[in-house]
C-alpha cells in the first residue's frame, strides 16, 4: 500500500493528519504537482483527474479523494473514531465535514487558485472576480464557525473529528492564499490553538 501525494499541498495534508491521529504509517511517494508530475501518463492512469492524494492498495486498486481515503482507513482502523459514533454522531460529523469542505476549504482554495500567480498554469482560466468573491465567503464561513465554536469544544461536538482536520487545513491554507488569519474570531482562535497543538498538526 502507498499514498501518492505532494506533501505540502492541503488535500494530502488532510490525509496525513488523519493517519497521524490514527497512529498509522503508510509509505508515501512524492510527486511535484507544480512541476507537472500529475500530468504524466503513469499518474493519469491511476487518477485521470490528475489530483493528489491517491491511495494505491497492494492489489492495485486505487482510491482518490481525500475523504474517501480517510473513510477507508476509518474502516480498517476504527479507533479513534474520526467519522463519529452512533447514528446521530456519524451524521453530525458528516454534516460538519461537508460544511467545512464545501464552504470554508473550497472558498480558501478558490482564493488561492484564482488569484495566486503561481497557480495560473493549473487553474485555467483563472477568474479574478471569483477569487475576490471568495474572500468574502471565507469571512462568512469563519463567522458561522465562530458561532458554532462558542458552545462546542470541537467542530462536530465533544470529540475531535475529520471536520476539525478539514477546517484546520483550510485555515492554515489562508496564509499562502494571502488571507489574514481569523484574528477577530475568538472562538475560532481558541479552537485553532488547541487543534494545532496536537502532534498530528505537525504533518
Ligand atoms: N477533491 C479532491 C481534491 C484534490 C486536489 O485538488 N488536490 C490538489 C492538491 S491539494 C491537486 O492535486 N492539484 C493539482 C492540480 O490542480 O493540477 C480531494 O479531496 O482529494
Amino acid at each position: 500500500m502507498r499514498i501518492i501525494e505532494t506533501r505540502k499541498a492541503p488535500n494530502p495534508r488532510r490525509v496525513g493528519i488523519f493517519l497521524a491521529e490514527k497512529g498509522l504509517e503508510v509509505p508515501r511517494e512524492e510527486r511535484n504537482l507544480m512541476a507537472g508530475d500529475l500530468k504524466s501518463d503513469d499518474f493519469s492512469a491511476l487518477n485521470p483527474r490528475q489530483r493528489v492524494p491517491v491511495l494505491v492498495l497492494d492489489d492495485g486498486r486505487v482510491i482518490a479523494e481525500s475523504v474517501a481515503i480517510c473513510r477507508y482507513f476509518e474502516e480498517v482502523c476504527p479507533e479513534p473514531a474520526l467519522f463519529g459514533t452512533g447514528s446521530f454522531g456519524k451524521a453530525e460529523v458528516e454534516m460538519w465535514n461537508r460544511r467545512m469542505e464545501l464552504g470554508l476549504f473550497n472558498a480558501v482554495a478558490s482564493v488561492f487558485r484564482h488569484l495566486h500567480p503561481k497557480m495560473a498554469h493549473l487553474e485555467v482560466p483563472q477568474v479574478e472576480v471569483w477569487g475576490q468573491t471568495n474572500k468574502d465567503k471565507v469571512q462568512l464561513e469563519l463567522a458561522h464557525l465562530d458561532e458554532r465554536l462558542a458552545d462546542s469544544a470541537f467542530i462536530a461536538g465533544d470529540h475531535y473529528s475529520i471536520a476539525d482536520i478539514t477546517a484546520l487545513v483550510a485555515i492554515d491554507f489562508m496564509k499562502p492564499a494571502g488571507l489574514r488569519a481569523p484574528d477577530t474570531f475568538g472562538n475560532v482562535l481558541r479552537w485553532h490553538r488547541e487543534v494545532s497543538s496536537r502532534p498530528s498538526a505537525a504533518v
Side-chain angles (χ1 to χ4, degrees), residues 21 92-93 96 100 145 148-165 167 187 190-198:
E21 287 286 337
E92 209 177 22
V93 169
W96 282 105
M100 292 306 111
L145 182 57
R148 164 64 175 171
L149 288 169
D151 53 15
S152 187
F154 295 104
I155 292 177
D158 294 339
H159 302 284
Y160 183 92
S161 75
I162 188 167
D164 296 290
I165 296 174
N187 301 311
R190 182 270 303 160
W191 161 88
H192 186 257
R193 251 193 324 272
E194 284 168 20
V195 293
S196 298
S197 70
R198 298 169 79 95

Side-chain angles (χ1 to χ4, degrees), residues 6 9-12 14 33 38-39 49-53 64-67 101 105 113 119 122-123:
T6 301
N11 281 295
R14 294 162 76 188
L33 73 84
L38 309 189
K39 314 275 183 217
R49 295 187 179 218
Q50 303 179 324
R51 299 286 172 115
V52 282
E65 294 297 328
S66 309
V67 177
E101 182 171 39
F105 191 100
R113 294 186 67 97
M119 293 306 290
L122 292 179
E123 191 62 47

Side-chain angles (χ1 to χ4, degrees), residues 75-185:
E75 286 295 316
V76 297
C77 175
E79 298 293 335
L82 297 174
F83 278 92
T85 54
S87 47
F88 184 80
K90 286 182 181 179
E92 209 177 22
V93 169
E94 183 73 23
M95 174 178 81
W96 282 105
N97 192 46
R98 284 181 70 81
R99 286 175 172 171
M100 292 306 111
E101 182 171 39
L102 299 174
L104 185 61
F105 191 100
N106 278 354
V108 176
S110 294
V111 172
F112 181 72
R113 294 186 67 97
H114 287 276
L115 294 180
H116 201 296
K118 281 194 178 158
M119 293 306 290
H121 72 298
L122 292 179
E123 191 62 47
V124 184
Q126 268 189 322
V127 181
E128 193 189 338
V129 70
W130 182 237
Q132 295 295 351
T133 300
N134 272 279
K135 288 184 176 179
D136 294 339
K137 287 178 185 280
V138 170
Q139 294 309 313
L140 189 64
E141 290 294 337
L142 288 173
H144 284 313
L145 182 57
D146 198 63
E147 227 175 274
R148 164 64 175 171
L149 288 169
D151 53 15
S152 187
F154 295 104
I155 292 177
D158 294 339
H159 302 284
Y160 183 92
S161 75
I162 188 167
D164 296 290
I165 296 174
T166 303
L168 170 65
V169 173
I171 287 175
D172 288 349
F173 194 33
M174 286 175 66
K175 197 172 170 193
L179 293 161
R180 251 194 30 230
D183 48 10
T184 51
F185 298 109

